[in-house]
Amino acid sequence: MAATTEQSIGDSGRIPGGTRRRARPEEPASILDRMGKGNLLYVLPGLLIYAVFVFVPILAAVVISLTEWNGLVVPSFVGLQNYIKLFSDHEFYIALRNNAEFMVFYCVLPLVIGICLAAIISVVGQRERLVLRTLFFLPYIMPTAVLGIIFQWLYNPAFGPFNQILKAVGLGKIALPWLGDFTWVLPAVGAVAVWYFFGFCMVVFLSGMQRIDPSLFDAARADGAKGWQSFWHVTLPQLMPEVRVVLLLTVIASIKSFDLIFTMTRGGPGNATLVPNIYMYELGFQLNRYGYAAAVAIIGALLVFVVNFAIHQGMRRFDRSSV
Amino acid sequence: MARSGVSTAPTVPFRIVLWLFGLITVVPFGLLLLTSIKSRADVLKGAFALPDYPHFENYVAAWTDGRFGTYFVNSVIVVVPVVAVSIVLGVITGFAFAYLRFPFKKSIFVILTFGMMVPTEAFIIPLYYEMLYLNLINTYWVLILTQIALSVPFATIFMASAMRQLPTEVLEAAVLDGATRPQVLLRVIVPLLAPAVSTLALFLFIWTWNEFLLPLILVNDDSLRTLPIGALFFQGKYTINTPVLTAGAVIVIAPIVVVYLIFQRKFIEGLTSGATK
Amino acid sequence: MHDTLSNRLRLGAAGIAVAALAAGLGGAAQAQTLVTWDDYTDVGQNAVIEQLNKNFEAAHPGVTINRTARTFDDLSMTLKLTVAAGNGPQVTKVNQGAADQGTMVKQKLLLPIDDYVKQYGWDKRFGEGVLARMQWSDSGQFGEGHYYGVSGLGEMVGLFYNQKVLSDAGISTPPKTFEELLADADALHAKGVPAFAIGTAKQHIALHMLTGMEQAHIDASNRKALDDVIYGRGGTFKTQAALDAATTMQKWAKEGYFIDGYSGIAGNDAVQLFVAGQGAFLLDGTWYFGDMQANPDIHFMPVPAPAGVSKPLTVGGVDLSWSITSNAKDKATQDLAAQYMDYMVSPEAANVWAAAGFFPSSTPTDDSAVKSPLLKEGLAMWKTITENNALGHYADWASPTMLKTYDDNMPHLLAGDMTPQAFVDALDADYQAYMKSVGK
């Protein structure tokens, strides 16, 4: 998908992760820009529909986060109280910690697996590669709410296939009640996220690899680099834009995660898989505390920015040290 | 791709790993299909146990009780305009971000990215009240317009970045030939970006087809609901009919799988060309 | 109602159109659409409600039911929002208790139905203890004052037992007292048979099991303390019965009295496993009759009471209530809504529900409709309970957050990393915080 999102962002807006301006010469205007006026006409239609149906409600949510509101009567303004309360809300910290752990499964593991698979897929022929690529991407097209239902059943300790296989191969001892185990429930749900994202990551990396200048490999080979060495020294550094895109998208997905966790565990057992988005749902739709729920949502959105900023910074440092 | 630098590596173990992962991706789908033709008692006999005979009546139950016929039509009515209009808007707005200067360009870009970051759950209540005020609740319009709006940020960024990678010489040549901007956009840029457009189309199709929260909240009338709501319909407060539920899930995902399989070649080409500098 | 000229004109025009239509159809009935929402999404229930709606339309020519079914979660998520916005159903199912029905009553989104209760004699058809669950006073007091709903289905939490599993373990009769239940569980456990089928990953078997045992320790003559707690008049969750029930549950969980892997099994799946012959007992509600009747060895009885309690409470109530929303603006619509509700809770509807294996709140007139032996056992129990005024309560109604508090703490209690005392304390802390927030 946006194999290129971040590149364009890096050039024009450098969002998310930093609206800071870098002192550098203004980009040269395109030849198309010089041609005439009415530039805004190209922006307005899309912007207008976006503003009406998305941005205004987002602004309203910010306002609501400053109020106490049960969703029915007129909200009462409470200033920053909701945010202050959040800082001493034990459950919110649990949700944040769980979300950080989920990031390993949403972001890190799919990235690593995706990059490894992309690296080794060249061992098979063109046709086989096409089939594999098609398969790997398949999970990504599924509605996550439906996936939750499927996997909840796959994990069932009594008649689910997962434990059935474990028992069949003599590993009955580790056939745990996955979704009811305080320790293992988060990795169990996380594994579904890995399954969902790894093929997507691989396809993005694969397309990135096709972009790499073959002469770089020739040069590396001339220097005596073996397969994995040239992967490490040539492929990986060249793939940094794709890594950044994949991280950007998976980080957003992890912080926005809801359907999968909701359908599999509802945040349980005992808050072991509670994440801010589930917490927001409970607060809003179950307890009618919409102001407080909106504050949770806003903090979550800010987190996306902070994490992406961190990634952006980290990657830049990496770029500099490796190039 | 053959040059990714590992051509000297051993083939067989890698091939096994690859196919193992391939297997992992399809097994859940296979089990889903299998469960959808079981009886409720069969489900307890273990995941791999075959039913005595295929219980296709699960599909009948899902289709009729779940009103899948209506929901299917509704899904199509919503998805087609959402994808089409979002692409048009994405191309036009993306063109502006790629080539044109206009006031507050960076700020507007930041504002657009909000739409990708903030979860819909966070603003669904204000959105509901706004739609009510605009008298759009319980219409196809509300589903179409909101989902176009949600697609604009991604479509814009995606198209803009693809356009930035087009060689400037081509555009310059067109301009020197006397083409106007709309002509350049329509006759030069769009044909060059056909793979990227089809990739975008597929993504928007998947996301819109699978959207759950918006139709759930913004539409109250049963006759306007879309498929994913039907898919989860068979969950009562205390009861659940796994085979019928999975049959419903199959009905929902079948169209996306078909569309994906038809377009996946083009689609992966699109990913590739989009990333090529 | 504004009766302006334009309105009158519009009504007049509509009236002419209706009259023309009616004349064309050769009937004298008035065309009207009734918008209804319900939560009957289970395949079996869905079929019944469609049938009942058809019957109602047939009996009321010109009336069209515009039904939307929502799953339980969807309903609680969307109902308040929609009705508050002047949209959605005129007649709806709504969850009793403070979170949904209470909030809607407070915002005047539901209409009091006192007149209809009298007109249709619903107070006589259902026990006083049943209708109280849908009563709210002007001051917002739960359990008294105006009526806001009636329900078509009854619910009781009881003891399902599998006679075959019991017999195989040498237990010839089901337990008559709570002490016997404990002894039977020990005996089954000693033989290596899981005593209880239970799944805690989803649904609320653990909650029903715990409160079922707890309330079986309360005699109907002493029910006031419990009523006061549930109806928000104050009280405590720190009772000996609650502590004992929590202690017993924890012991059973720790020592392996439950089916293997129970913490990773959803309640619905545990029921399927029980039907397939796993576990000797399962404590849960009549809503599982439809599933349970697949196994003729399974029977249903009240949770046995300890010695000295002659009329034990049975946790239960009625399913989500039918209520009239503020969208039913004029008297004619309200009357039609009440007619619809009356049909939904009528003995005639009860026959249809019973024939499909569900547990109606009114007694079916047609005994031959009751085919399932389980249902017969249940209906007999319902009769006794109504006579004894011994219908207990869902403990999670006590505060808006109580269900979550149960859900969050129960896994810790069963896993053994929370003492029964700490568990009961956590429940009480939730309740007292709620009491304080409403100024009691």
Side-chain angles (χ1 to χ4, degrees):
Chain A
M1 79 188 314
T4 49
T5 307
E6 187 72 358
Q7 291 152 7
S8 88
I9 288 164
D11 289 341
S12 59
R14 83 181 26 74
I15 300 299
T19 47
R20 94 221 134 80
R21 273 147 229 258
R22 194 159 42 148
R24 64 164 202 180
E26 189 64 25
E27 53 181 307
S30 159
I31 184 167
L32 291 158
D33 186 48
R34 287 186 221 115
M35 283 169 60
K37 291 181 181 164
N39 284 356
L40 269 177
L41 284 180
Y42 287 83
V43 196
L44 280 181
L47 203 62
L48 200 69
I49 191 167
Y50 169 79
V52 171
F53 294 99
V54 177
F55 193 58
V56 166
I58 288 179
L59 287 183
V62 175
V63 174
I64 289 168
S65 77
L66 304 174
T67 69
E68 212 176 284
W69 188 37
N70 68 1
L72 303 175
V73 290
V74 181
S76 59
F77 185 77
V78 295
L80 290 173
Q81 254 182 45
N82 287 328
Y83 291 92
I84 295 165
K85 253 188 269 171
L86 261 186
F87 278 105
S88 54
D89 185 338
H90 178 59
E91 274 187 59
F92 184 60
Y93 281 107
I94 294 178
L96 286 180
R97 199 197 55 213
N98 289 340
N99 213 142
E101 287 177 30
F102 268 122
M103 277 188 192
V104 173
F105 296 94
Y106 272 79
C107 316
V108 180
L109 289 177
L111 186 123
V112 172
I113 295 173
I115 236 170
C116 292
L117 291 179
I120 64 173
I121 200 168
S122 60
V123 300
V124 299
Q126 191 70 40
R127 185 158 295 179
E128 204 175 333
R129 203 181 304 160
L130 185 72
V131 174
L132 283 169
R133 218 171 45 178
T134 308
L135 287 184
F136 289 165
F137 199 80
L138 205 57
Y140 191 75
I141 68 171
M142 294 283 287
T144 38
V146 172
L147 282 183
I149 290 170
I150 301 174
F151 274 89
Q152 184 197 334
W153 163 74
L154 290 176
Y155 279 128
N156 188 300
F159 48 80
F162 197 61
N163 281 5
Q164 224 180 317
I165 293 171
L166 285 178
K167 282 175 190 156
V169 298
L171 290 171
K173 273 228 164 82
I174 60 163
L176 296 168
W178 301 100
L179 298 184
D181 188 287
F182 288 112
T183 316
W184 287 101
V185 63
L186 196 142
V189 176
V192 184
V194 175
W195 179 84
Y196 182 72
F197 279 116
F198 84 87
F200 166 75
C201 294
M202 193 216 70
V203 169
V204 174
F205 290 133
L206 215 50
S207 60
M209 284 178 176
Q210 290 172 325
R211 172 176 57 78
I212 301 173
D213 186 349
S215 64
L216 290 173
F217 291 114
D218 297 339
R221 207 166 301 133
D223 288 347
K226 291 243 165 46
W228 68 271
Q229 283 171 322
S230 76
F231 174 77
W232 189 254
H233 292 291
V234 179
T235 315
L236 208 52
Q238 288 290 317
L239 279 183
M240 277 308 135
E242 279 75 21
V243 170
R244 206 152 58 185
V245 170
V246 161
L247 276 180
L248 171 80
L249 290 166
T250 52
V251 163
I252 292 179
S254 76
I255 294 180
K256 283 170 86 167
S257 61
F258 178 81
D259 301 8
L260 199 61
I261 301 169
F262 187 75
T263 46
M264 286 178 79
T265 66
R266 308 230 148 171
N271 289 337
T273 51
L274 185 78
V275 291
N277 235 1
I278 300 267
Y279 191 43
M280 178 180 76
Y281 169 86
E282 287 177 353
L283 288 168
F285 291 108
Q286 295 185 331
L287 303 177
N288 302 316
R289 296 173 62 188
Y290 286 103
Y292 197 54
V296 173
I298 303 299
I299 296 280
L302 288 177
L303 267 181
V304 178
F305 278 89
V306 170
V307 174
N308 277 310
F309 182 73
I311 291 171
H312 195 77
Q313 288 297 304
M315 301 293 293
R316 281 169 48 78
R317 202 157 299 136
F318 186 90
D319 282 352
R320 224 173 289 140
S321 63
S322 67
V323 173
Chain B
M1 216 158 8
R3 303 242 206 172
S4 55
V6 281
S7 48
T8 53
T11 312
V12 176
F14 283 168
R15 199 179 213 156
I16 292 173
V17 169
L18 284 167
W19 279 103
L20 204 67
F21 272 94
L23 196 68
I24 289 173
T25 57
V26 286
V27 164
F29 292 98
L31 289 171
L32 179 73
L33 276 174
L34 183 61
T35 310
S36 70
I37 52 166
K38 287 183 176 184
S39 71
R40 290 178 90 165
D42 290 334
V43 172
L44 300 180
K45 289 180 191 150
F48 304 102
L50 295 173
D52 297 336
Y53 64 95
H55 293 258
F56 290 116
E57 67 269 20
N58 294 332
Y59 282 87
V60 178
W63 189 270
T64 52
D65 292 343
R67 299 177 188 78
F68 274 94
T70 317
Y71 296 167
F72 184 90
V73 172
N74 289 340
S75 276
V76 173
I77 290 177
V78 170
V79 165
V80 171
V82 167
V83 173
V85 176
S86 301
I87 287 175
V88 172
L89 287 176
V91 166
I92 297 174
T93 325
F95 176 78
F97 275 101
Y99 301 119
L100 311 182
R101 283 177 301 184
F102 49 88
F104 304 111
K105 185 168 174 179
K106 284 181 183 174
S107 316
I108 292 175
F109 192 87
V110 176
I111 286 174
L112 273 184
T113 58
F114 279 122
M116 286 172 66
M117 313 247 166
V118 183
T120 322
E121 288 89 351
F123 59 88
I124 187 75
I125 303 291
L127 180 64
Y128 179 87
Y129 277 101
E130 190 191 343
M131 294 306 100
L132 193 71
Y133 181 75
L134 297 175
N135 234 338
L136 288 173
I137 294 293
N138 273 337
T139 58
Y140 286 120
W141 285 108
V142 77
L143 297 179
I144 294 168
L145 290 170
T146 52
Q147 293 190 86
I148 290 173
L150 276 173
S151 309
V152 162
F154 180 76
T156 300
I157 294 169
F158 188 86
M159 291 319 301
S161 56
M163 286 180 200
R164 281 179 161 270
Q165 286 154 14
L166 291 176
T168 41
E169 305 83 53
V170 183
L171 304 179
E172 277 161 10
V175 173
L176 291 178
D177 281 351
T180 62
R181 280 200 297 203
Q183 282 169 341
V184 174
L185 184 56
L186 270 177
R187 298 200 190 138
V188 182
I189 296 178
V190 170
L192 280 173
L193 290 183
V197 168
S198 68
T199 307
L200 180 61
L202 190 72
F203 272 114
L204 295 178
F205 178 82
I206 292 171
W207 293 335
T208 312
W209 189 266
N210 293 344
E211 176 61 45
F212 183 76
L213 188 71
L214 289 175
L216 177 69
I217 303 275
L218 299 180
V219 159
N220 305 319
D221 195 332
D222 192 56
S223 60
L224 292 171
R225 285 175 164 177
T226 54
L227 271 180
I229 298 184
L232 299 180
F233 183 76
F234 300 99
Q235 305 184 83
K237 187 181 177 192
Y238 291 115
T239 47
I240 195 163
N241 189 333
T242 309
V244 180
L245 192 69
T246 46
V250 171
I251 296 175
V252 175
I253 63 173
I256 345 172
V257 172
V258 170
V259 169
Y260 167 65
L261 290 180
I262 292 174
F263 290 103
Q264 58 95 13
R265 241 174 213 269
K266 262 232 140 62
F267 157 69
I268 290 177
E269 262 171 50
L271 272 182
T272 313
S273 69
T276 312
K277 279 222 158 161
Chain C
M1 293 257 81
H2 299 280
D3 200 7
T4 62
L5 184 61
S6 72
N7 257 340
R8 222 177 286 177
L9 281 175
R10 216 178 302 140
L11 283 174
I16 291 164
V18 168
L21 192 67
L25 291 170
Q30 194 191 353
Q32 205 171 355
T33 301
L34 190 65
V35 184
T36 70
W37 283 16
D38 63 64
D39 64 328
Y40 295 125
T41 55
D42 167 72
V43 179
Q45 295 186 333
N46 187 55
V48 172
I49 189 80
E50 296 270 331
Q51 178 61 46
L52 293 177
N53 280 346
K54 264 193 209 110
N55 293 354
F56 185 80
E57 285 176 340
H60 298 80
V63 173
T64 314
I65 306 286
N66 179 354
R67 171 196 181 219
T68 299
R70 289 183 175 266
T71 63
F72 177 74
D73 286 324
D74 299 351
L75 190 70
S76 65
M77 192 164 162
T78 51
L79 180 64
K80 279 169 284 188
L81 180 67
T82 317
V83 178
N87 233 300
Q90 290 154 337
V91 181
T92 186
K93 295 287 292 292
V94 51
N95 201 11
Q96 296 93 339
D100 289 355
Q101 195 161 50
T103 311
M104 292 185 76
V105 166
K106 210 182 289 171
Q107 306 301 336
K108 303 202 184 312
L109 300 176
L110 298 182
L111 305 180
I113 55 164
D114 301 351
D115 294 344
Y116 297 120
V117 170
K118 277 210 196 68
Q119 182 184 336
Y120 291 107
W122 291 334
D123 48 349
K124 294 190 192 76
R125 203 181 302 165
F126 308 102
E128 192 48 39
V130 171
L131 281 187
R133 284 146 222 265
M134 290 147 289
Q135 275 183 285
W136 294 85
S137 76
D138 288 329
S139 61
Q141 176 62 52
F142 186 21
E144 55 196 61
H146 301 296
Y147 296 100
Y148 285 93
V150 280
S151 298
L153 295 178
E155 295 177 350
M156 290 179 294
V157 171
L159 180 72
F160 290 98
Y161 61 93
N162 186 326
Q163 185 56 55
K164 183 166 179 302
V165 175
L166 286 180
S167 305
D168 288 352
I171 301 166
S172 54
T173 54
K176 284 187 194 60
T177 64
F178 190 69
E179 291 76 13
E180 279 183 38
L181 175 67
L182 295 178
D184 287 350
D186 289 340
L188 288 158
H189 183 57
K191 288 208 160 68
V193 179
F196 298 94
I198 175 174
T200 58
K202 273 196 186 175
Q203 289 87 35
H204 301 101
I205 294 190
L207 168 67
H208 295 136
M209 188 167 173
L210 181 92
T211 53
M213 295 197 293
E214 182 185 332
Q215 293 184 20
H217 283 63
I218 302 172
D219 194 277
S221 55
N222 298 325
R223 64 173 298 154
K224 188 168 182 314
L226 179 67
D227 283 343
D228 285 350
V229 166
I230 300 301
Y231 291 134
R233 299 182 194 112
T236 179
F237 268 71
K238 294 195 231 181
T239 62
Q240 193 58 43
L243 193 62
D244 288 349
T247 310
T248 309
M249 288 273 287
Q250 188 175 56
K251 171 184 177 276
W252 284 342
K254 267 204 288 206
E255 295 177 8
Y257 283 61
F258 296 167
I259 54 169
D260 208 23
Y262 73 91
S263 67
I265 299 176
N268 293 326
D269 292 333
V271 170
Q272 301 302 331
L273 290 167
F274 183 65
V275 171
Q278 287 201 37
F281 301 112
L282 187 149
L283 273 85
D284 212 84
T286 46
W287 44 84
Y288 283 128
F289 274 4
D291 300 80
M292 296 286 188
Q293 65 196 4
N295 184 339
D297 296 322
I298 294 176
H299 297 273
F300 188 67
M301 62 178 280
V303 180
V309 176
S310 61
K311 293 174 180 170
L313 296 186
T314 291
V315 172
V318 280
D319 78 326
L320 308 198
S321 84
W322 286 108
S323 296
I324 306 178
T325 74
S326 52
N327 289 331
K329 296 224 182 298
D330 51 72
K331 184 82 168 66
T333 311
Q334 290 163 17
D335 286 347
L336 180 66
Q339 277 174 40
Y340 179 78
M341 280 161 62
D342 186 55
Y343 180 68
M344 284 299 145
V345 302
S346 66
E348 191 193 330
N351 290 339
V352 182
W353 282 116
F358 295 98
F359 188 81
S361 58
S362 6
T363 318
T365 48
D366 179 6
D367 274 347
S368 63
V370 187
K371 290 188 190 75
S372 142
L374 266 181
L375 203 53
K376 284 200 180 100
E377 288 163 357
L379 286 168
M381 242 175 94
W382 183 254
K383 198 160 167 270
T384 316
I385 287 169
T386 312
E387 280 164 15
N388 291 347
N389 189 22
L391 195 61
H393 290 285
Y394 295 118
D396 54 284
W397 285 6
S399 87
T401 48
M402 193 56 84
L403 187 62
K404 181 169 163 52
T405 303
Y406 269 109
D407 282 350
D408 286 353
N409 291 290
M410 188 72 80
H412 290 288
L413 174 75
L414 298 184
D417 57 4
M418 183 180 214
T419 64
Q421 185 63 52
F423 175 77
V424 175
D425 288 350
L427 301 179
D428 196 57
D430 175 298
Y431 185 66
Q432 302 309 341
Y434 174 63
M435 283 294 99
K436 207 171 142 206
S437 76
V438 295
K440 284 193 180 160

